């Protein structure tokens, strides 16, 4: 019997990319999985693609930034599987553009999905996780270590998750609920991935040349290991560990490095 055998997990934002890869890995480990995202058609396509024999997979479309949809998600999970062991707050959106150029809606939309879209499912899951002594995992980014030029709303939303997870880890300790936060680095993107441009329109994610990108399936394996080991923080690769170290010990040097890199990027 493995750690995930017969457990019940919700993975938000699981019709694409990292969330889908996590759902696939969990199903392979005999976990019961609930997948969710806004676009019903794409979610149904993912459901049909990853479903195995037996009653192991449930899909529930919804928007994590809407409290009512999150209530439905948790209720349907309990109604169908009778329990909840793991919540992975993965749904997230990215953007590009400097603060001065961004439409204010970009800030709001990013905070709604990346921050409140993790708060709502977590709040609603806690009563159920108390009885299973389960896990809540937040998917964050290296952008949460220090604010990045050109990504201020994204970095702010992911930094907010750091505060949320730190508070929750202490609040939920008496109930033996594990809280974790994963600071992911560049990961190979799904071709369907979109981000907000400065005007708040969704555009295909631009290609990231010159950066080493990890395979989604390897990232998913690391995320599951974190849950199994009930680890609080994880930086996933050498780049993450180095950035975290540099920012803590030599913050001015990291600030200077970022400024230089940004200048170089702008001139290309
Ligand atoms: N890819 C990277 O390099 C990288 C690096 C660091 C951190 N991360 C983080 O990892 C997570 C997953 O990233 P990804 O690259 O796999 O993203 P992705 O390919 O864009 O997939 C995002 C998923 O979230 C869903 N989603 C978006 N907004 C939602 C909402 N409001 N409610 C419910 N579902 C929603 C999308 O489906 P719908 O659009 O149909 O809702 C989709 O299933 C994000 O939190 C991201 O910030 C990614």
């Amino acid at each position: 019997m493995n750690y995930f055998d017969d457990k019940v997990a919700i993975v938000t934002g699981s019709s694409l990319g990292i969330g889908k890869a996590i759902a696939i890995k969990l199903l392979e480990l005999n976990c019961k999985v609930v997948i969710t995202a806004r676009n019903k058609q794409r979610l149904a396509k993912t459901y049909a693609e990853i479903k195995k024999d037996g009653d192991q997979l449930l899909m529930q479309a919804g928007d994590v930034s809407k409290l009512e949809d999150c209530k439905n998600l948790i209720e349907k999970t309990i109604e169908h599987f009778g329990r909840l062991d793991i919540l992975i707050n993965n749904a997230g959106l990215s953007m590009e553009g400097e603060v001065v150029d961004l439409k204010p809606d970009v800030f709001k939309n990013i905070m709604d999905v990346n921050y409140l879209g993790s708060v709502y499912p977590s709040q609603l899951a806690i009563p159920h996780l108390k009885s299973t002594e389960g896990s809540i995992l937040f998917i964050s980014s290296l952008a949460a270590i220090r604010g990045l030029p050109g990504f201020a709303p994204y970095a702010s939303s992911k930094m907010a998750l750091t505060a949320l997870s730190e508070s929750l880890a202490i609040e939920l300790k008496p109930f033996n609920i594990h809280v974790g936060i994963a600071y992911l680095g560049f990961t190979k993107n799904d071709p369907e991935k979109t981000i907000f441009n400065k005007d708040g329109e969704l555009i295909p994610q631009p290609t990231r040349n010159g950066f080493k990108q990890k395979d989604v399936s390897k990232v998913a394996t690391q995320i599951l290991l974190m849950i199994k080991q009930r680890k609080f923080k994880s930086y996933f690769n050498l780049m993450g560990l180095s950035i975290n170290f540099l920012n803590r010990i030599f913050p001015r040097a990291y600030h200077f490095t970022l400024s230089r890199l940004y200048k170089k990027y702008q001139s290309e």
Side-chain angles (χ1 to χ4, degrees):
M1 192 167 143
N2 75 70
Y3 180 83
F4 295 96
D5 213 13
D6 255 357
K7 285 194 163 60
V8 176
I10 295 175
V11 186
T12 68
S14 34
S15 62
L16 275 189
I18 297 164
K20 178 177 167 185
I22 298 171
I24 292 171
K25 284 263 176 259
L26 284 169
L27 290 171
E28 282 168 7
L29 292 168
N30 209 27
C31 188
K32 295 183 169 116
V33 181
V34 184
I35 56 170
T36 180
R38 293 164 305 176
N39 183 323
K40 270 189 198 164
Q41 245 180 331
R42 193 161 56 192
L43 188 66
K45 195 170 151 229
T46 298
Y47 177 87
E49 185 189 327
I50 70 175
K51 190 177 170 358
K52 292 178 172 291
D53 291 339
D55 180 27
Q56 215 193 328
L57 181 64
L58 178 72
M59 70 167 204
Q60 174 66 31
D63 184 336
V64 286
S65 68
K66 296 191 175 141
L67 186 57
E68 213 42 50
D69 287 6
C70 295
K71 281 184 184 158
N72 282 336
L73 173 66
I74 304 290
E75 270 170 27
K76 287 279 154 49
T77 302
I78 300 300
E79 215 174 276
H80 194 85
F81 289 126
R83 59 186 282 150
L84 176 64
D85 298 273
I86 298 162
L87 168 68
I88 303 180
N89 288 301
N90 167 76
L93 283 174
S94 191
M95 45 61 62
E96 61 174 18
E98 289 196 349
V99 171
V100 69
D101 300 322
L102 290 170
K103 276 214 169 139
D105 270 1
V106 176
F107 286 88
K108 186 176 179 326
N109 289 338
I110 292 280
M111 285 308 278
D112 279 355
V113 178
N114 294 8
Y115 178 64
L116 290 177
S118 293
V119 171
Y120 295 154
S122 303
Q123 268 197 317
L124 295 159
I126 289 168
H128 304 286
L129 294 172
K130 279 183 182 172
S131 47
T132 55
E133 300 190 343
S135 282
I136 302 180
L137 196 86
F138 297 94
I139 303 297
S140 185
S141 153
L142 298 186
I145 296 174
R146 192 175 185 95
L148 293 180
F151 296 96
Y154 181 74
S156 310
S157 70
K158 294 297 188 184
M159 280 188 181
L161 291 183
T162 297
L164 177 67
S165 63
E166 287 171 355
S167 306
L168 265 183
I170 297 172
E171 289 173 10
L172 298 181
K173 193 160 185 344
F175 307 100
N176 205 20
I177 296 176
H178 158 238
V179 176
I181 179 157
Y183 296 91
L184 308 190
F186 291 121
T187 308
K188 280 184 193 149
N189 287 314
D190 195 294
E192 288 185 47
K193 181 175 170 111
T194 51
I195 64 165
F196 286 122
N197 68 10
K198 66 180 176 45
D199 297 318
E201 298 154 350
L202 285 172
I203 55 160
Q205 161 85 54
T207 42
R208 297 155 162 171
N209 295 328
F211 289 103
K212 206 173 160 212
Q213 295 173 57
K214 221 172 185 165
D215 200 77
V216 276
S217 132
K218 283 193 184 141
V219 170
T221 303
Q222 280 181 290
I223 288 167
L224 297 197
L225 190 65
M226 233 186 122
I227 295 174
K228 188 175 161 189
Q229 294 176 339
R230 294 174 84 85
K231 220 171 153 181
F232 178 45
K233 283 190 180 181
S234 185
Y235 291 94
F236 276 56
N237 59 20
L238 191 61
M239 189 180 178
L241 287 168
S242 318
I243 289 177
N244 186 45
F245 176 80
L246 194 62
N247 188 49
R248 269 164 178 252
I249 312 294
F250 304 109
R252 287 174 66 177
Y254 185 44
H255 179 88
F256 179 74
T257 311
L258 273 180
S259 310
R260 292 290 296 268
L261 285 173
Y262 191 54
K263 235 184 216 168
K264 189 169 168 254
Y265 165 78
Q266 282 177 312
S267 64
E268 275 169 5

